Amino acid sequence: MADDAAAGGFAQRLGVRVEEADDGSARIVFEAREEHLNPAGTLHGGVLATLVDTAMGTAVRTATGDDDVPATSQLTVTYLRPGKPGPLEVTARVRTRGEHLTVCEADVEQDGRAIGHAVATFALLHP
């Protein structure tokens, strides 16, 4: 996958950018703006969940065959501290790849501090 490429679909509409994606890992960047905040003034949890899901899905696609379609079957997000407007970076890596399931994890950082951690299981569909 080319560096500095836009993500597709919903993530692209949010402004997610894929910086790196290769060999079972991915790094995406995102600029959180006022429109991404919840009523408490912090980054909405659904935005953070989208970011980790996007990064992990991108990482999985670099470790699977062209005929495999990864689909998120389980996602656990741990919110470590509130996010705020400004740049975020999400790094994701495949932890275990099986024949039908792949497990990934991701870390979210803002201003050099961890704000979230996620683990997901992806089913590998063969349409």
Side-chain angles (χ1 to χ4, degrees), residues 6 9 14 20 22 25 29 33 40 55-56 58 69 71 77 84-85 91 97 112 115 125:
L14 283 177
E20 297 176 35
D22 190 32
S25 65
V29 294
R33 298 183 306 270
M56 289 186 286
T58 302
V69 177
V77 182
K84 59 187 179 189
T91 55
R97 186 185 186 292
I115 67 167
L125 307 178

Side-chain angles (χ1 to χ4, degrees), residues 46 48-54 56 72-79 104 106 117-122:
L48 191 67
T50 296
L51 295 175
V52 296
D53 187 46
T54 300
M56 289 186 286
T72 309
S73 61
Q74 177 271 328
L75 173 65
T76 301
V77 182
T78 303
Y79 301 94
C104 287
H117 179 78
V119 177
T121 302
F122 290 81

Side-chain angles (χ1 to χ4, degrees), residues 20-127:
E20 297 176 35
D22 190 32
D23 198 28
S25 65
R27 183 170 58 89
I28 66 171
V29 294
F30 175 74
E31 184 74 27
R33 298 183 306 270
E34 296 294 323
E35 64 195 48
H36 302 122
L37 306 181
N38 60 29
T42 62
L43 183 64
H44 191 285
V47 173
L48 191 67
T50 296
L51 295 175
V52 296
D53 187 46
T54 300
M56 289 186 286
T58 302
V60 171
R61 282 191 299 280
T62 70
T64 59
D66 291 338
D67 294 337
D68 293 327
V69 177
T72 309
S73 61
Q74 177 271 328
L75 173 65
T76 301
V77 182
T78 303
Y79 301 94
L80 301 171
R81 61 180 48 86
K84 59 187 179 189
L88 292 127
E89 182 175 281
V90 184
T91 55
R93 66 214 140 277
V94 171
R95 298 299 297 184
T96 305
R97 186 185 186 292
E99 185 176 342
H100 301 289
L101 297 175
T102 297
V103 177
C104 287
E105 66 181 322
D107 293 296
V108 184
E109 290 190 356
Q110 187 173 48
D111 297 330
R113 297 182 69 190
I115 67 167
H117 179 78
V119 177
T121 302
F122 290 81
L124 300 178
L125 307 178
H126 308 282

